[in-house]
Amino acid sequence: MSMVDVVLIFLGLAILFYVLFGGADLGGGIMELFLSKDTREDERALITHAMAPVWEANHVWLILAVVIVFMGFPRVYTEGSTYLHLPLMAVLVGIVARGCAFTFRYYDTARTYRRTYTRIFAYSSLWTAFFLGVLGGSSVAGLINPEAKTYAELFLDPWLNPFCISLGLFTASFCTMLATIFLVGEADEIELTRILRRKAKIALVVTSLIAPLPLIMAEFMGRPLLQMILQHPMSLGFFALAILLVPLVWISLNRSIWTTWARAFSVMLVASIILSWFMAQYPTALYYAPDSYHRALSFYEAAAPAATLRVLVGALVVGSLCIFPALAYLFKIFKWDTLDEERRYKP
């Protein structure tokens, strides 16, 4: 295994953790657009209770992924931040807006602007999740063209297309599904649990219906994404696993004592989708337009010098030894201990 592969493993883990924790975080904000009338305040309080202690920590994984690309694959960082700077900026604006709105709403004891903060938080969560999907899709859409002459061809076509938009919709729907499934296990009241369980099943159905759309749009645009998945044995295996996990998540949601399994299956579903895509695209980092001079940029071509990669791997190992225990302690204090305390004193 080369040093590039080791760095890619860390990058893959950072992306996986961000999709899981950050995705559920974004989905919690999107859920506020679909609160039930009778349990509106209870659902909002549950979302705030679940997110408040850890929402900042969830973005550690995004920062880590950006740092790895910046230091380990500087050409990918340069070209991505140049030709995809518009969706990238949209993501950053969304993250800042939702973070500010969530914080101000939490501390707005007078409730003067509570409704305004809530709207900004919910819509910026949807905005951020959508553009994260668009950004991911633009790396495989094959429309980046450094030789293009017009502004639209250089900076709009790579991401403003049916495939990237459909992937943005899928990402937003998937984040909402993750959040509802995770929140089912957070609720203690029977009625609230029943409502969240029903919403989780609706989100699962909607996400399953949207899921084929990016593949169809890719074929429509001449990008054989489905063919890429089918031709790679490991990619095909994870793709099949993801399809098999969907009914398992549904079955788990239908059984009240299987909440933990629903969470576990949804985590496995996320991992299967990401691994299937990664294996289909590996080792390509960016696909260029057919009429550009280069057709693709691989991680190996874009990798930093060996000395830089060695330093990066050393820093990642040391950082992991610091981050994982700290995160485990954070979750222990604000999630598990709090949950145990509430259950212990519940009448």
Side-chain angles (χ1 to χ4, degrees), residues 1-333:
M1 181 181 293
S2 68
M3 198 62 74
V4 173
D5 294 321
V6 176
V7 176
L8 281 177
I9 290 174
F10 278 104
L11 178 61
L13 288 174
I15 293 173
L16 174 62
F17 286 135
Y18 183 67
V19 173
L20 281 174
F21 298 112
D25 188 299
L26 293 170
I30 299 171
M31 274 185 67
E32 295 215 8
L33 295 171
F34 306 99
L35 297 180
S36 302
K37 185 178 178 181
D38 295 337
T39 57
R40 185 185 301 274
E41 290 304 319
D42 289 338
E43 287 183 63
R44 186 169 290 149
L46 181 66
I47 292 170
T48 302
H49 174 76
M51 286 178 53
V54 295
W55 71 275
E56 289 174 304
N58 291 337
H59 292 291
V60 165
W61 307 111
L62 179 61
I63 296 169
L64 177 61
V66 172
V67 170
I68 291 174
V69 175
F70 174 76
M71 190 171 176
F73 309 101
R75 194 172 159 194
V76 175
Y77 182 89
T78 302
E79 306 222 347
S81 59
T82 300
Y83 301 112
L84 304 175
H85 71 278
L86 289 174
L88 188 60
M89 188 168 60
V91 170
L92 296 177
V93 168
I95 289 174
V96 172
R98 69 185 299 276
C100 292
F102 184 75
T103 304
F104 290 152
R105 185 180 70 171
Y106 190 78
Y107 291 105
D108 182 22
T109 53
R111 296 174 177 254
T112 310
Y113 300 105
R114 185 178 174 85
R115 182 172 295 182
T116 302
Y117 294 143
T118 296
R119 286 178 180 169
I120 294 174
F121 172 62
Y123 284 105
S124 58
S125 297
L126 177 62
W127 169 279
T128 307
F130 174 78
F131 275 102
L132 276 171
V134 168
L135 197 59
S138 56
S139 68
V140 72
L143 292 174
I144 296 174
N145 187 358
E147 284 82 35
K149 303 300 181 187
T150 67
Y151 180 87
E153 290 175 338
L154 275 170
F155 302 118
L156 295 179
D157 289 353
W159 61 272
L160 193 57
N161 54 69
F163 169 67
C164 293
I165 290 172
S166 63
L167 196 60
L169 293 173
F170 172 72
T171 305
S173 175
F174 198 91
C175 289
T176 310
M177 183 197 74
L178 266 182
T180 49
I181 292 174
F182 284 2
L183 284 173
V184 168
E186 298 275 343
D188 281 340
E189 296 178 12
I190 296 175
E191 179 62 16
L192 186 56
T193 304
R194 186 188 64 78
I195 292 173
L196 288 172
R197 200 179 296 278
R198 178 173 57 81
K199 288 186 176 182
K201 289 193 284 188
I202 293 173
L204 178 63
V205 170
V206 172
T207 304
S208 301
L209 291 175
I210 296 177
L213 198 57
L215 295 175
I216 296 171
M217 290 296 110
E219 292 292 331
F220 174 73
M221 291 172 52
R223 289 296 302 164
L225 183 57
L226 181 60
Q227 191 177 343
M228 290 165 59
I229 293 172
L230 296 178
Q231 286 178 344
H232 196 290
M234 290 188 68
S235 176
L236 178 60
F238 286 118
F239 185 72
L241 180 60
I243 294 174
L244 290 173
L245 284 166
V246 173
L248 292 177
V249 175
W250 176 270
I251 293 170
S252 304
L253 288 171
N254 278 322
R255 286 163 172 76
S256 58
I257 60 172
W258 282 25
T259 303
T260 304
W261 280 109
R263 286 179 164 188
F265 288 140
S266 63
V267 170
M268 292 168 64
L269 182 59
V270 172
S272 301
I273 292 173
I274 291 177
L275 286 170
S276 176
W277 184 337
F278 180 77
M279 296 310 299
Q281 188 170 337
Y282 178 80
T284 302
L286 293 173
Y287 287 95
Y288 294 115
D291 54 345
S292 64
Y293 181 73
H294 297 288
R295 298 300 302 275
L297 175 65
S298 75
F299 284 106
Y300 294 95
E301 292 173 309
T308 305
L309 293 180
R310 281 196 294 272
V311 173
L312 177 59
V313 169
L316 289 170
V317 170
V318 174
S320 300
L321 295 175
C322 298
I323 289 176
F324 284 107
L327 278 176
Y329 190 58
L330 178 73
F331 275 88
K332 180 180 184 301
I333 292 176

